[in-house]
């Protein structure tokens, strides 16, 4: 079963998600942005979700985590919870 580690930032609007992504791409620290803006409890830990298996997260989330490039900020990814920025930090089969 594939496993991954990732961190994310959850916000309510696509516009805010895009703005935060630009800040990170311009050099802002992902973890600090997560602590400041993320609506998810994981924000307190810089958005760190720890290790999880494929299928544990919502399908939109899994698609990015288990297919897209490592150590790059992806998003906005829309789920029923809001808009996410995702950074996949490791993945294993």
């Amino acid at each position: 079963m594939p496993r991954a580690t990732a961190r994310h930032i959850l916000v309510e609007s696509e516009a805010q998600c895009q703005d935060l992504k630009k800040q990170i791409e311009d050099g802002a620290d992902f973890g600090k942005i997560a602590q400041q803006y993320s609506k998810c409890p994981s924000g307190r830990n810089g958005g760190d979700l720890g290790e999880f298996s494929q299928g544990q997260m919502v399908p939109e989330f899994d698609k990015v985590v288990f297919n897209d490039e490592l150590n790059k900020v992806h998003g906005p990814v829309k789920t029923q919870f809001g808009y996410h920025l995702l950074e996949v930090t490791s993945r294993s089969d």
Side-chain angles (χ1 to χ4, degrees):
M1 166 88 46
R3 298 184 64 74
T5 58
R7 54 188 189 163
H8 82 132
I9 298 169
L10 172 63
V11 295
E12 293 176 6
S13 75
E14 186 174 8
Q16 184 181 22
C17 205
Q18 292 283 15
D19 178 57
L20 296 177
K21 184 176 184 179
K22 181 165 182 2
Q23 289 181 43
I24 293 165
E25 288 171 345
D26 289 345
D29 181 83
F30 189 105
K32 288 185 177 153
I33 295 285
Q35 288 174 336
Q36 189 172 355
Y37 294 100
S38 186
K39 304 293 183 201
C40 181
S42 69
R44 288 191 294 267
N45 300 322
D48 187 7
L49 295 168
E51 187 177 52
F52 51 91
S53 298
Q54 193 168 11
Q56 282 187 270
M57 302 292 181
V58 294
E60 302 91 338
F61 207 91
D62 262 13
K63 183 178 179 198
V64 173
V65 170
F66 291 97
N67 293 291
D68 291 357
E69 189 177 339
L70 292 174
N71 301 309
K72 181 175 187 279
V73 178
H74 301 284
V77 175
K78 186 178 186 333
T79 71
Q80 74 259 34
F81 302 107
Y83 293 87
H84 305 258
L85 291 178
L86 301 170
E87 183 185 40
V88 185
T89 52
S90 73
R91 188 168 42 228
S92 63
D93 293 330

